[in-house]
Amino acid sequence: MSIWWSLHLRREAASVPLARRLLLGTMETAGVDPDVSYDLSVALTEACANAVEHGGDAVHGASSEAYRVTAYLDGEKCRIEVTDSGPGFAFSATPRPARPDAEHGRGLGLIRELADHVHIGHKPGRTGTVVSFDKILKWRDDSPLMAV
């Protein structure tokens, strides 16, 4: 069984809980274990917050007003991608951890802790950043759509 959806969202703070609620509702309906759903929803929240804050198109002197969220529940895995059109940033294989009391800079580290596999990069030929992450799904015993 596969489920996927994609959202084109405005770069506004109000879009973040919308994406999170849609993901949680999809996973609850499919019968995904609540702990796994929670981890993925927190990771999605962090990725969306980064797109809202940093995802504008500064390269061309204009501001991109949107970003995209795509979620795939396919068999035993969920993959989420958040794509923006911002200037991007320098990637590091070993990012510097943020201080525990810092108000900013903890999002990517949190995503790495909550997901099984994380990739941060660019779409070829485009500006912006793509944050994608996967997590192996666990299913509730009463799941109506449990993967076989």
Side-chain angles (χ1 to χ4, degrees), residues 39 120 127 143:
D39 287 352
I120 302 166
T127 61
S143 170

Side-chain angles (χ1 to χ4, degrees), residues 47 79-82 89 91 108 111-112 115-124 129-134:
R79 165 165 282 174
I80 298 172
E81 291 183 2
V82 177
F89 60 94
F91 300 104
L108 293 177
I111 293 168
R112 285 185 173 100
D116 295 328
H117 177 263
V118 178
H119 177 75
I120 302 166
H122 302 282
K123 291 272 186 195
T129 301
V130 178
V131 176
S132 68
F133 49 95
D134 302 339

Side-chain angles (χ1 to χ4, degrees), residues 61-94:
S63 175
S64 173
E65 296 300 321
Y67 67 102
R68 181 172 303 278
V69 176
T70 306
Y72 308 89
L73 278 79
D74 190 18
E76 295 292 323
K77 180 173 71 173
C78 178
R79 165 165 282 174
I80 298 172
E81 291 183 2
V82 177
T83 306
D84 67 43
S85 57
F89 60 94
F91 300 104
S92 169
T94 55

